[in-house]
Amino acid sequence: MSKKKAAIWISLVIIMLLIGWLNFKTPSNPVWLESGTEDNTSFLSDEYFIGLNDLFEKVRDDHKKWYIVDGSSEIAARAVIVKMMQDLESNPGALTNHENSVRYFETFDRNIRKAGSITEEVHFFRNTLNSYSGAPVSLDDMITLAAEGKWKLFSAKYHRYNHEGVKGALNLKFISKDGRFEAVYNSETGEMVTDPFNMGTYNYAPGSINPLKYYKHYTFDKQPWKKWGNESGVSFEDIMSLESGHGSSEEKNNSKEIKRWIKQRKEELKLE
């Protein structure tokens, strides 16, 4: 083949790829497909997760195009997410203490990241998932879990807003060992904080100093929070309008005291 013909063929291939790319359009509010399956497989069984993999492959193959970037994996991931949401809503008690509960969270999170973006409904579904954290109601019990290494005291910068007479400066955030679940407590009341301004939420992509992990956390958790808030009816702007106690001397002293409390509990439990 002459150089001229080779150049023509290469040009045609490039043009075809460009056409394919232009045909692939990701709408600003992606369509989240109905799963379109009737699956009687027992929820959370090993077969259930095999079925989710089969669903992903089927939807991906049905939407696969000839060009390199076709969006089929994103569409398939959304179909799996919809099905998992529907299945949990139909069986809310099944996930509690189930041997495959972690597998459910791992599969859900993995498909969230494959989907590339989330809708408002999926964002608020974090609250449903966070309800399975197993976090205790009282701060004292959480201190024990933190001393045992099952939860970790974390920065509560965005959870220290004064609301309904509760001092935000005294709020504390704990994150589960795997980074998925959050729980916020107030040291003055000794109870969990659940108001939509300061509440703990589920992380689809736990934060990290690792640049890639931080980017994913910003994309799937932080950015949607800025767009939609924590609950319907309470926007990010509503949250930011409240006075924050973060950075105050009261907050700093309180945080030091809680760290001392956790250390003391470790000593009491002879964990050091």
Side-chain angles (χ1 to χ4, degrees):
M1 182 183 292
S2 66
K3 292 183 178 180
K4 184 176 181 180
K5 287 184 177 180
I8 292 173
W9 275 107
I10 292 173
S11 298
L12 286 173
V13 170
I14 293 174
I15 291 172
M16 292 172 69
L17 289 173
L18 286 173
I19 292 173
W21 172 257
L22 292 173
N23 284 335
F24 172 63
K25 298 178 181 180
T26 303
S28 59
N29 186 21
V31 176
W32 289 69
L33 301 178
E34 294 294 334
S35 63
T37 61
E38 291 296 334
D39 189 355
N40 295 321
T41 303
S42 178
F43 182 49
L44 298 180
S45 66
D46 291 342
E47 292 75 18
Y48 173 76
F49 292 99
I50 293 173
L52 292 177
N53 290 333
D54 291 343
L55 172 62
F56 178 90
E57 293 178 4
K58 180 182 184 304
V59 175
R60 182 190 59 191
D61 292 344
D62 287 347
H63 291 80
K64 201 166 185 63
K65 308 298 181 183
W66 57 266
Y67 39 86
I68 297 175
V69 181
D70 57 14
S72 57
S73 292
E74 289 87 344
I75 295 171
R78 292 166 193 162
V80 171
I81 290 167
V82 169
K83 176 167 177 54
M84 294 184 73
M85 289 172 64
Q86 293 173 343
D87 290 341
L88 182 57
E89 288 168 351
S90 298
N91 306 274
L95 195 56
T96 303
N97 298 323
H98 194 284
E99 61 181 0
N100 277 336
S101 61
V102 173
R103 193 173 178 182
Y104 179 92
F105 298 124
E106 290 175 345
T107 302
F108 198 95
D109 295 351
R110 184 167 59 250
N111 280 280
I112 285 288
R113 295 191 288 271
K114 285 182 179 179
S117 62
I118 64 176
T119 62
E120 182 177 8
E121 180 184 6
V122 175
H123 170 65
F124 289 141
F125 192 69
R126 296 195 310 161
N127 297 332
T128 297
L129 295 178
N130 204 57
S131 68
Y132 294 93
S133 69
V137 175
S138 73
L139 174 59
D140 185 68
D141 289 337
M142 176 54 79
I143 293 296
T144 298
L145 294 180
E148 294 173 342
K150 296 175 182 177
W151 286 73
K152 183 179 180 180
L153 182 65
F154 207 77
S155 171
K157 180 178 180 180
Y158 299 106
H159 304 267
R160 290 188 169 126
Y161 299 99
N162 298 330
H163 179 64
E164 294 186 347
V166 176
K167 290 184 179 180
L170 302 182
N171 285 351
L172 305 147
K173 181 168 80 170
F174 292 82
I175 292 183
S176 60
K177 188 175 182 179
D178 59 14
R180 285 191 174 90
F181 304 103
E182 296 180 358
V184 177
Y185 297 84
N186 184 275
S187 62
E188 185 172 51
T189 66
E191 298 176 348
M192 183 184 290
V193 175
T194 58
D195 70 74
F197 297 89
N198 294 297
M199 62 190 285
T201 57
Y202 184 91
N203 292 309
Y204 286 134
S208 170
I209 59 173
N210 179 293
L212 180 58
K213 289 184 177 181
Y214 177 82
Y215 171 76
K216 290 179 179 178
H217 177 60
Y218 181 82
T219 300
F220 300 110
D221 298 309
K222 196 166 184 178
Q223 194 172 42
W225 169 63
K226 289 184 176 181
K227 186 175 183 179
W228 294 304
N230 286 326
E231 284 186 359
S232 179
V234 179
S235 68
F236 174 75
E237 289 72 24
D238 292 333
I239 296 173
M240 292 297 106
S241 69
L242 297 181
E243 181 182 1
S244 173
H246 183 73
S248 65
S249 58
E250 188 174 25
E251 177 266 306
K252 292 178 180 179
N253 292 333
N254 185 60
S255 296
K256 288 181 181 179
E257 175 61 21
I258 294 302
K259 290 178 182 178
R260 186 196 64 77
W261 190 0
I262 294 173
K263 183 177 181 181
Q264 181 181 336
R265 186 63 52 86
K266 285 183 178 180
E267 295 171 351
E268 292 172 356
L269 297 173
K270 298 181 180 180
L271 296 175
E272 287 188 337

